């Protein structure tokens, strides 16, 4: 549809579109509204789940030990569902609509079904929370059988999954509309390609959830007499871990988007980046195997194939992105004139912009803390010394919180002015928020993994075993680690609260973006462009000394940490 310069006062062309004055994108009104509501609900679940997580961390802090056992497991269950499922998937649905209808300049497919999806997701999430808070469903995130939750806990998750599947179908439908209407030329932009990857993995994830949660619901109401625990674990982790692979694909797409929007960065090789996303589709779900490496009912051949061969192809995909995105940033900065020395491009990057700082912290935390430790846990022999210890949540706090949540926070600082069309309030607080949150999450991850290395159990509410019939003492360092973990959790909670306050106040009370304010304080620099798909390809050779140094540091850290864990394993099982 052509741009109507006589648009009504609501800013939309006719009743369906408006033109964004900062990006030039044609914005579908239904897509914009759905992005808003999904993002707002996501932040609500982040706030609620974050509060529950803080209370769990304070209980694990021996000097505080806030909650009794029953409340600890109740809130641990709610914390896992709210932040690992509801916060992230609501936000990912908003990202899917943004990456399709907005970036591709087309209308949203089946908006009535998209609204139905939103309603089902809200109802399902609320019902699952009610079931947990009623005290009948403290089965934790894994909900392993034979532990049994109330029927409406499983029903809530099923309804939420159905809503998510409908939203994903609307995303795919929007891609078809964009192609038929000629909204773009050639291949879809790389950001949209990343969103497609996330959506394909989401279909696999939802199918796995349906295969196991529907029988488990029938078991909870008495129609099925028995669920095999090993079968449950194998299929459930097809949902439980694969849902985090949706996060990885979405967060990487966001990294590319923010690099393009803020720096004008172009992928060094778009074909290589797309191949890395394709590796996610083919191999990333195999990482689910690391949760099953100590299960006696699963064959050694299956474990070895998943953790020693196929998994490395998914790791290769992440390593490609880990070099491509900083490399694209460096190339863009050098093209913008920051050519002195190895790191001027990095020093003079827009670190005061929370969208950029959040992205960079997300990349570093996800790569160094989450990525390296994920490969360690995915190695069958090494997994034996850390399985079911606090090392495991230490790892996924680095990936899901330090990586995904920080990336989602970063893009939110751009969505508020571009989609909600409001000025970001409390700019100083917003500037500091990624650093405070990133520092807290890094501490949580490091101290949990440190305690896990010392053998601290993953799911026990009392590290001191004060109510145990037989006493057991961890090393004194473990108690120190859990105290430091509590302090880091307070720091992360402060950073999360800063984000919620800034976003909520900006969305509901921020000044509307006007042409005058946009001209005076643009959200995006003139070099920005989220639709950038052209790689450097045939241009003059691009030199990236800074990226080479950073990648070299990563590989050295990777090799050293891998060696340290094998050394530790050799001391656990000495050979004569």
């Amino acid at each position: 549809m052509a741009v109507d310069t006589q648009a009504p006062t609501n800013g939309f062309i006719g009743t369906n579109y408006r033109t964004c004055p900062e990006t030039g994108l044609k914005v579908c009104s239904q897509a914009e509204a759905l992005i808003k509501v999904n993002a707002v609900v996501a932040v609500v679940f982040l706030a609620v789940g974050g509060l529950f997580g803080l209370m769990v961390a304070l209980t694990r802090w021996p000097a505080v030990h806030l909650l009794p056992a029953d409340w600890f497991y109740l809130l641990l269950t709610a914390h896992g569902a709210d932040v690992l499922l509801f916060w992230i998937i609501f936000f990912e649905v908003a990202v899917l609509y943004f990456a399709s209808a907005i970036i591709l300049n087309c209308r949203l497919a089946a908006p009535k079904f998209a609204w139905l999806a939103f309603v089902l997701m809200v109802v399902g999430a609320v019902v699952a929370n009610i079931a947990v808070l009623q005290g009948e469903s403290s089965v934790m995130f894994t909900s392993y059988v034979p532990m049994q939750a109330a029927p409406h806990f499983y029903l809530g998750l099923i309804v939420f999954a159905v809503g998510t599947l409908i939203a994903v179908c609307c995303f795919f439908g929007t891609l078809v509309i964009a192609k038929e209407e000629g909204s773009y030329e050639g291949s879809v932009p790389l950001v949209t390609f990343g969103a497609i990857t996330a959506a394909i993995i989401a279909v696999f994830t939802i199918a796995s959830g349906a295969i196991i949660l529907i029988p488990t619901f029938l078991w909870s109401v008495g129609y099925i007499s028995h669920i095999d625990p090993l079968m449950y674990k194998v299929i459930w982790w097809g949902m439980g871990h694969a849902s985090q692979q949706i996060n990885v694909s979405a967060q990487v797409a966001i990294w590319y988007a923010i690099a393009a929007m803020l720096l004008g960065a172009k992928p060094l090789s778009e074909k290589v980046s797309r191949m890395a996303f394709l590796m996610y589709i083919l191999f990333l779900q195999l990482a689910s195997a690391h949760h099953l490496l100590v299960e006696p009912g699963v064959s050694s051949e299956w474990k070895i194939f998943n953790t020693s061969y196929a998994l490395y192809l998914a790791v290769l995909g992440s390593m490609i992105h880990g070099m491509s995105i900083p490399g694209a940033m460096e190339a863009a900065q050098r093209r913008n004139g920051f050519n002195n020395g190895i790191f001027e491009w990095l020093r003079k990057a827009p670190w005061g912009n929370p969208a950029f700082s959040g992205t960079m912290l997300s990349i570093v935390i996800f790569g160094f803390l989450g990525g390296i430790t994920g490969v360690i846990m995915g190695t069958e022999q090494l997994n034996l010394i850390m399985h079911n210890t606090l090392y495991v949540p230490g790892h996924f706090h680095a990936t899901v919180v330090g990586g995904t949540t920080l990336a989602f926070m970063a893009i939110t600082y751009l969505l508020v002015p571009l989609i909600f069309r409001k000025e970001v309030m409390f700019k100083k607080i917003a500037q500091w928020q990624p650093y405070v949150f990133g520092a807290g999450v890094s501490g949580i991850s490091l101290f949990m993994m440190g305690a896990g290395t010392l053998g601290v159990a993953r799911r026990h509410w009392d590290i001191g075993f004060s109510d145990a019939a037989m006493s057991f003492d961890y090393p004194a360092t473990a108690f120190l680690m859990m105290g430091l973990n509590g302090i880091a959790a307070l720091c992360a909670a402060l950073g999360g609260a800063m984000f919620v306050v800034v976003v909520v106040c900006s969305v509901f009370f921020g000044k509307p973006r006007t042409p005058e304010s946009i001209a005076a304080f643009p959200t995006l620099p003139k070099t920005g462009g989220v639709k950038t798909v052209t790689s450097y390809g045939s241009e003059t050779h691009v030199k990236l000394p800074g990226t080479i140094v950073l990648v070299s540091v990563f590989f050295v850290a990777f090799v050293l940490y891998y060696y340290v864990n094998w050394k530790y394993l050799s001391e656990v099982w000495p050979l004569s």
Side-chain angles (χ1 to χ4, degrees), residues 1-19 421:
M1 183 180 292
V3 174
D4 182 4
T5 56
Q6 303 297 321
T9 56
N10 64 4
F12 287 94
I13 302 167
T15 58
N16 297 312
Y17 300 98
R18 70 175 177 89
T19 298
R421 288 176 282 165

Short mmCIF file of all heavy atoms in Angstrom, two decimals, residues 1-19 421:
data_model
loop_
_atom_site.label_atom_id
_atom_site.label_comp_id
_atom_site.label_asym_id
_atom_site.label_seq_id
_atom_site.Cartn_x
_atom_site.Cartn_y
_atom_site.Cartn_z
N MET A 1 0.85 -1.18 0.00
CA MET A 1 0.00 0.00 0.00
C MET A 1 0.89 1.24 0.00
O MET A 1 1.83 1.33 0.76
CB MET A 1 -0.91 0.02 1.24
CG MET A 1 -1.87 1.19 1.27
SD MET A 1 -2.91 1.14 2.76
CE MET A 1 -3.87 -0.31 2.39
N ALA A 2 0.57 2.19 -0.83
CA ALA A 2 1.36 3.41 -0.90
C ALA A 2 1.19 4.23 0.36
O ALA A 2 0.16 4.17 1.03
CB ALA A 2 0.96 4.21 -2.13
N VAL A 3 2.19 5.03 0.68
CA VAL A 3 2.13 5.88 1.85
C VAL A 3 1.12 6.99 1.62
O VAL A 3 1.16 7.69 0.61
CB VAL A 3 3.51 6.48 2.16
CG1 VAL A 3 3.41 7.46 3.29
CG2 VAL A 3 4.49 5.38 2.49
N ASP A 4 0.20 7.15 2.52
CA ASP A 4 -0.82 8.19 2.45
C ASP A 4 -0.37 9.37 3.30
O ASP A 4 -0.33 9.29 4.52
CB ASP A 4 -2.16 7.64 2.95
CG ASP A 4 -3.28 8.67 2.85
OD1 ASP A 4 -3.02 9.76 2.33
OD2 ASP A 4 -4.39 8.35 3.31
N THR A 5 -0.03 10.45 2.66
CA THR A 5 0.44 11.61 3.42
C THR A 5 -0.68 12.27 4.17
O THR A 5 -0.43 13.11 5.04
CB THR A 5 1.10 12.63 2.47
OG1 THR A 5 0.16 12.99 1.45
CG2 THR A 5 2.33 12.03 1.81
N GLN A 6 -1.93 11.93 3.84
CA GLN A 6 -3.07 12.49 4.56
C GLN A 6 -3.57 11.51 5.61
O GLN A 6 -4.75 11.30 5.79
CB GLN A 6 -4.21 12.81 3.56
CG GLN A 6 -3.80 13.76 2.45
CD GLN A 6 -3.42 15.11 2.99
OE1 GLN A 6 -4.04 15.61 3.92
NE2 GLN A 6 -2.39 15.72 2.42
N ALA A 7 -2.63 10.89 6.30
CA ALA A 7 -2.99 9.89 7.31
C ALA A 7 -3.76 10.54 8.44
O ALA A 7 -3.55 11.70 8.77
CB ALA A 7 -1.74 9.23 7.86
N PRO A 8 -4.69 9.83 9.05
CA PRO A 8 -5.44 10.37 10.17
C PRO A 8 -4.54 10.63 11.36
O PRO A 8 -3.39 10.23 11.40
CB PRO A 8 -6.47 9.27 10.48
CG PRO A 8 -5.89 8.02 9.88
CD PRO A 8 -5.11 8.46 8.70
N THR A 9 -5.09 11.28 12.35
CA THR A 9 -4.29 11.74 13.49
C THR A 9 -3.72 10.60 14.31
O THR A 9 -2.78 10.80 15.07
CB THR A 9 -5.13 12.64 14.42
OG1 THR A 9 -6.29 11.90 14.82
CG2 THR A 9 -5.56 13.89 13.68
N ASN A 10 -4.28 9.40 14.20
CA ASN A 10 -3.71 8.29 14.96
C ASN A 10 -2.42 7.78 14.36
O ASN A 10 -1.78 6.90 14.91
CB ASN A 10 -4.72 7.14 15.09
CG ASN A 10 -5.07 6.51 13.75
OD1 ASN A 10 -4.51 6.88 12.72
ND2 ASN A 10 -6.00 5.57 13.79
N GLY A 11 -2.00 8.32 13.24
CA GLY A 11 -0.70 7.97 12.67
C GLY A 11 -0.74 6.78 11.74
O GLY A 11 0.28 6.42 11.17
N PHE A 12 -1.90 6.16 11.53
CA PHE A 12 -1.98 5.01 10.66
C PHE A 12 -2.49 5.41 9.28
O PHE A 12 -3.31 6.31 9.14
CB PHE A 12 -2.91 3.94 11.25
CG PHE A 12 -2.32 3.24 12.42
CD1 PHE A 12 -2.58 3.69 13.70
CD2 PHE A 12 -1.49 2.16 12.24
CE1 PHE A 12 -2.02 3.05 14.80
CE2 PHE A 12 -0.93 1.51 13.33
CZ PHE A 12 -1.20 1.96 14.61
N ILE A 13 -1.97 4.72 8.24
CA ILE A 13 -2.42 4.94 6.89
C ILE A 13 -3.76 4.24 6.75
O ILE A 13 -3.87 3.04 6.89
CB ILE A 13 -1.41 4.37 5.88
CG1 ILE A 13 -0.05 5.02 6.11
CG2 ILE A 13 -1.88 4.56 4.46
CD1 ILE A 13 1.07 4.32 5.38
N GLY A 14 -4.83 4.98 6.49
CA GLY A 14 -6.17 4.40 6.52
C GLY A 14 -6.46 3.92 7.93
O GLY A 14 -6.41 4.68 8.87
N THR A 15 -6.75 2.64 8.05
CA THR A 15 -6.96 2.07 9.37
C THR A 15 -5.97 0.95 9.66
O THR A 15 -6.09 0.28 10.67
CB THR A 15 -8.39 1.51 9.48
OG1 THR A 15 -8.57 0.53 8.44
CG2 THR A 15 -9.41 2.61 9.30
N ASN A 16 -4.98 0.75 8.79
CA ASN A 16 -4.15 -0.43 8.91
C ASN A 16 -2.66 -0.17 9.11
O ASN A 16 -1.98 -1.00 9.67
CB ASN A 16 -4.32 -1.32 7.67
CG ASN A 16 -5.73 -1.83 7.53
OD1 ASN A 16 -6.30 -2.33 8.49
ND2 ASN A 16 -6.29 -1.69 6.35
N TYR A 17 -2.15 0.94 8.64
CA TYR A 17 -0.71 1.16 8.64
C TYR A 17 -0.35 2.56 9.09
O TYR A 17 -1.15 3.49 9.02
CB TYR A 17 -0.13 0.95 7.23
CG TYR A 17 -0.34 -0.42 6.66
CD1 TYR A 17 -1.38 -0.66 5.77
CD2 TYR A 17 0.49 -1.47 7.01
CE1 TYR A 17 -1.58 -1.93 5.23
CE2 TYR A 17 0.30 -2.74 6.48
CZ TYR A 17 -0.74 -2.95 5.60
OH TYR A 17 -0.94 -4.21 5.08
N ARG A 18 0.88 2.66 9.55
CA ARG A 18 1.52 3.96 9.73
C ARG A 18 2.95 3.82 9.24
O ARG A 18 3.49 2.71 9.14
CB ARG A 18 1.51 4.41 11.19
CG ARG A 18 2.44 3.62 12.11
CD ARG A 18 2.48 4.20 13.51
NE ARG A 18 3.33 3.38 14.38
CZ ARG A 18 4.64 3.56 14.55
NH1 ARG A 18 5.26 4.52 13.88
NH2 ARG A 18 5.34 2.78 15.35
N THR A 19 3.58 4.93 8.91
CA THR A 19 4.97 4.91 8.49
C THR A 19 5.84 5.40 9.64
O THR A 19 5.62 6.49 10.16
CB THR A 19 5.19 5.79 7.26
OG1 THR A 19 4.41 5.29 6.17
CG2 THR A 19 6.66 5.79 6.86
N ARG A 421 6.31 4.31 20.77
CA ARG A 421 6.42 5.73 20.42
C ARG A 421 6.40 6.61 21.67
O ARG A 421 5.70 7.61 21.75
CB ARG A 421 5.32 6.13 19.44
CG ARG A 421 5.52 5.56 18.05
CD ARG A 421 4.37 5.88 17.14
NE ARG A 421 3.24 5.00 17.40
CZ ARG A 421 2.01 5.22 16.96
NH1 ARG A 421 1.76 6.30 16.25
NH2 ARG A 421 1.05 4.37 17.24
#
